[in-house]
Amino acid sequence: MTATAEIVIIIFLLLGVFLTLAAAFGVIRLPDVYTRNHAASKSATLGVMLILLACFLYFYLIEGHFSSRVLLGIAFIFITAPVGGHLISRAAYNSGVKLWEKSVRDDLKNKK
Amino acid sequence: MLETVMQLSLVLVTIAMIGFVYRLIKGPSIPDRIVALDAIGITLVAMIAILSMLLRTNAFLDVILLLGILSFIGTTAFSKFLEKGEIIENDRNR
């Protein structure tokens, strides 16, 4: 029972760490603010949610302690991280940060 | 086995955070730096989760929720400042 639980926890941890590293590579290598925000707000969020799920499973299955605060943290990060990404992206567009010079489509250009 | 994987993932999360710090220092515009700060805050949550598993204590689980809330409030305040020039407006009829 404990061995199976350990394998599940290891899988969730490694998936979460991989997604966090992918977010870091995206933030370093992508060309402008919007694509970098795309990488950071999606994959960092999912990676952290998987790591928190591993933490919850560790405390529930191995230590025998049901921690509702970690579940609440997962729900909170799932709700607020996309909202934060949207707010940063909108503030960047409205304060006049240019898109990448090779982007072909700007739907918001004629709105104002 | 499990403890080795936890230590390895702590190191890898630290490497990811160093990548975000690179963007925070070098980022050409202000929103780049805000994106990096938001990602650093959320990675810190993951780091605290792994650390509390390594230390086998459930005393740090409040910190996870608290850091999530503080990071969201900081991001919201920064982007509102960028968009309108002030965070809490006096004149509410605009």
Side-chain angles (χ1 to χ4, degrees), chain B residues 24-48:
Chain B
L24 177 66
I25 294 172
K26 189 172 171 288
S29 63
I30 304 289
D32 274 312
R33 299 197 164 99
I34 303 177
V35 168
L37 268 181
D38 191 35
I40 283 176
I42 234 171
T43 317
L44 207 58
V45 171
M47 200 179 263
I48 289 172

Side-chain angles (χ1 to χ4, degrees), chain A residues 10 17 21 24 27-28 33 36 48 51-52 55 58-59 63 65 67 69 72-73 76 80 87-88 90-92 94, chain B residues 2 9 12 16 19-20 23 29 31-32 35 42 49 52-53 56-58 61-62 65 69 72 75-76 79 83:
Chain A
I10 285 174
V17 166
L21 273 179
V27 167
I28 291 174
V33 187
R36 283 197 279 258
V48 170
I51 290 177
L52 286 183
C55 180
Y58 176 79
F59 280 112
E63 306 272 320
H65 171 257
S67 160
R69 287 169 291 181
L72 202 59
F76 191 81
T80 59
L87 283 175
I88 300 170
R90 208 178 60 148
N94 286 340
Chain B
L2 184 56
S9 50
L12 291 179
F20 293 136
R23 182 51 67 195
S29 63
D32 274 312
V35 168
I42 234 171
S52 70
M53 279 194 281
R56 291 178 163 273
T57 171
N58 52 19
L61 298 185
D62 289 326
L65 199 50
I69 293 170
F72 176 62
T75 309
T76 316
S79 48
E83 225 175 319

